[in-house]
Amino acid sequence: MDIQGKVAVVTGGASGLGKATAHTIASAGGKVAILDRNAELAEQAASELGADAAAFAVDVTEADSMVAAIDAVMERFGAIHIDVNCAGIGAAARTVGRDGPLDLAAFQFVIQVNLVGTFNTLRLCAFHMAKNEPDGADGERGVVINTASVAAFDGQIGQAAYSASKGGVVGMTLPIARDLARSGVRVCTIAPGIFETPMMMGAPDRVRQPLVESVQFPKRLGEAPEFALLARQIVENPYLNGETIRLDGAIRMQPR
Ligand SMILES: NC(=O)c1ccc[n+]([C@@H]2O[C@H](COP(=O)([O-])OP(=O)(O)OC[C@H]3O[C@@H](n4cnc5c(N)ncnc54)[C@H](O)[C@@H]3O)[C@@H](O)[C@H]2O)c1
């Protein structure tokens, strides 16, 4: 799909991977709706992109607030062609820790944001995509890009909830691609390795260093524009569908 003139919803677009993707889409001529629970950073990110971008404060886990936000996007831009789901949280706690079993609500919260929040956004975006005029030789109507993590495949100690949430995103990619095929909507997921974003910058050196060590090449953390570059390729390459792509410098994470 040619990005020029298309409308993209980017959740988590106020920071990190989502923000870089919003920039890339805008620089390719797309219009960008930044959906984020951090209203102030979302406004700031949208204002950096100019008149063809707008911010919408929303919690991806809330059904009603997401319906209202997507309605507001439709009112502002008139259509949705691209949905990039980057809103997410990290969390680390062992299944049984020093203080006893992991709090169930803590486990559920991570699933709620990373998995349910992703589905909540894409179901509404896909509903509107299905009404678009078919585009290009294949008659595409939309592209959905989800963000999982390599933790979906090689989750570390303390990552039960995070890995389960991202494994869920990987697992639903193909069935959703199958569901939406009749509407001309493609669905792919990116599974990033470790990227230099505010989420990771908070991690202490003792956590970061072993992670960098297990990257094969290039020997560094990923950079947000590299994520955005793959997101752009997924939008533009009409034959990418139903797939999860690792973007990770060949990292295979160790137990800790
Ligand atoms: N940075 C990494 O190394 C890395 C690696 C693998 C996967 N990921 C995934 O990539 C995605 C983006 O991560 P990032 O590193 O850019 O993080 P980030 O913290 O920089 O950005 C995440 C954004 O999501 C927003 N957000 C969080 N919960 C939300 C909610 N309930 N509703 C709406 N917005 C919400 C935050 O406000 C923030 O702006 C996440 O899903 C993360 O799990 C990141």
Side-chain angles (χ1 to χ4, degrees):
M1 174 174 280
D2 183 4
I3 294 174
Q4 179 68 42
K6 301 295 194 308
V7 180
V9 163
V10 182
T11 72
S15 175
L17 305 181
K19 186 175 180 184
T21 305
H23 270 264
T24 293
I25 290 171
S27 62
K31 303 170 187 178
V32 185
I34 292 177
L35 273 60
D36 204 289
R37 71 173 172 196
N38 189 327
E40 199 184 323
L41 280 186
E43 283 294 346
Q44 198 179 309
S47 69
E48 287 170 21
L49 300 181
D52 276 343
F56 302 85
V58 65
D59 185 328
V60 294
T61 66
E62 289 173 9
D64 292 347
S65 107
M66 184 55 87
V67 168
I70 295 296
D71 284 351
V73 173
M74 288 299 293
E75 200 166 307
R76 169 77 165 74
F77 293 111
I80 296 170
H81 305 93
I82 300 161
D83 167 30
V84 186
N85 294 307
C86 286
I89 52 165
R94 290 187 189 225
T95 305
V96 179
R98 283 198 191 95
D99 302 328
L102 176 61
D103 179 34
L104 194 56
F107 184 91
Q108 285 168 329
F109 182 63
V110 178
I111 303 287
Q112 197 64 22
V113 176
N114 292 353
L115 176 58
V116 180
T118 298
F119 187 78
N120 188 27
T121 313
L122 74 81
R123 76 192 172 99
L124 298 172
C125 288
F127 172 74
H128 290 292
M129 287 172 183
K131 295 183 284 189
N132 290 338
E133 284 301 315
D135 185 72
D138 298 311
E140 277 191 286
R141 292 193 176 83
V143 182
V144 175
I145 301 172
N146 300 317
T147 310
S149 162
V150 294
F153 309 105
D154 27 276
Q156 297 188 293
I157 285 169
Q159 286 196 308
Y162 187 70
S163 294
S165 70
K166 297 303 191 177
V169 172
V170 171
M172 72 182 177
T173 301
L174 180 62
I176 295 172
R178 287 173 165 170
D179 284 348
L180 301 181
R182 65 180 179 188
S183 304
V185 174
R186 293 183 291 112
V187 184
C188 281
T189 292
I190 301 174
I194 314 298
F195 276 66
E196 199 78 64
T197 68
M199 186 184 268
M200 261 322 285
M201 284 169 195
D205 245 19
R206 65 178 167 76
V207 172
R208 284 169 61 103
Q209 206 41 44
L211 290 169
V212 173
E213 284 309 312
S214 53
V215 179
Q216 296 303 299
F217 183 83
K219 207 90 186 152
R220 58 169 173 79
L221 301 188
E223 289 164 10
E226 293 167 336
F227 175 94
L229 190 63
L230 179 54
R232 179 176 181 166
Q233 174 62 197
I234 291 170
V235 175
E236 292 181 340
N237 191 324
Y239 213 59
L240 273 171
N241 195 11
E243 181 62 325
T244 296
I245 304 167
R246 288 182 74 129
L247 182 67
D248 65 1
I251 197 174
R252 294 297 179 270
M253 295 202 296
Q254 298 305 304
R256 72 177 83 218

